[in-house]
Amino acid sequence: MYALLSWIAEGIARTMAIIGGLILLAVIGLTVASIVGRALLPLGLGLGPIKGIYDITEIGIAAAVFAFLPWCQIRNAHAAVDLFKPAFGDRLNHLLNVVIDLGMFAIASVGAWRLYLGMLDKLRYGETTLIAQLPVWQGYLASLIGAVAFALVAAFCVLRSVRVLTGFAPAKDIS
């Protein structure tokens, strides 16, 4: 059962990271097109800047950041200060990993919950972005997908670190 959960969590994290990368590439492409269009406009060669490129960039970057969080979590790649780690024994370090993973799960869950509530508010009031007039709830939804994936992967990471702490898995299982 654990192997299946590991495979699912890894798949979610990998898929979300690829989606985040594709979103970043799309934002980069649109930004380049907008800049080139703006630069060529005085020469009569361009279509001009893309209307609402700032709105599109803002939504795209937020969605990409949330899409990368599951990968960062599954790889234990969040910023950490390991100043005292060498002084602690393996058992204490494994216990700290459980506590940290529980904290990340709590943060991911609360973040997803608040994004969901924010999305419902933006949907209810019909708020749109200033320039492109895009519905704001769509940006919340794009970020919410990554936040939910982050919470799911963080839940798996709690299980993984508990298994290491209890001796059911070697410490090398935590990347």
Side-chain angles (χ1 to χ4, degrees):
M1 182 65 164
Y2 176 80
L4 176 62
L5 291 175
S6 178
W7 181 79
I8 291 170
E10 180 82 22
I12 289 170
R14 184 179 309 277
T15 301
M16 290 306 298
I18 290 168
I19 290 170
L22 292 173
I23 291 170
L24 279 182
L25 287 173
V27 168
I28 290 167
L30 288 172
T31 302
V32 167
S34 184
I35 291 168
V36 169
R38 183 179 304 125
L40 295 178
L41 188 61
L43 304 173
L45 300 174
L47 299 174
I50 295 174
K51 179 184 173 192
I53 189 65
Y54 298 113
D55 299 340
I56 295 166
T57 301
E58 186 177 64
I59 291 169
I61 296 299
V65 166
F66 277 99
F68 292 135
L69 288 174
W71 184 254
C72 192
Q73 180 66 21
I74 199 116
R75 295 286 174 219
N76 282 332
H78 293 292
V81 178
D82 295 335
L83 185 62
F84 298 108
K85 189 172 184 173
F88 297 152
D90 286 344
R91 189 96 170 130
L92 183 55
N93 279 316
H94 296 325
L95 178 61
L96 287 173
N97 286 339
V98 171
V99 170
I100 290 166
D101 283 341
L102 279 168
M104 292 304 286
F105 174 65
I107 290 167
S109 298
V110 169
W113 169 52
R114 298 309 299 176
L115 272 170
Y116 174 72
L117 293 178
M119 180 191 71
L120 292 179
D121 278 347
K122 301 302 180 187
L123 182 60
R124 185 176 318 124
Y125 294 113
E127 187 175 334
T128 60
T129 60
L130 185 63
I131 299 169
Q133 296 298 303
L134 299 170
V136 173
W137 71 268
Q138 292 175 354
Y140 275 72
L141 177 62
S143 296
L144 178 61
I145 293 167
V148 168
F150 179 34
L152 292 172
V153 170
F156 167 76
C157 290
V158 170
L159 173 65
R160 181 179 66 185
S161 60
V162 166
R163 283 175 49 90
V164 170
L165 176 66
T166 58
F168 284 104
K172 70 171 182 62
D173 280 1
I174 298 179
S175 304

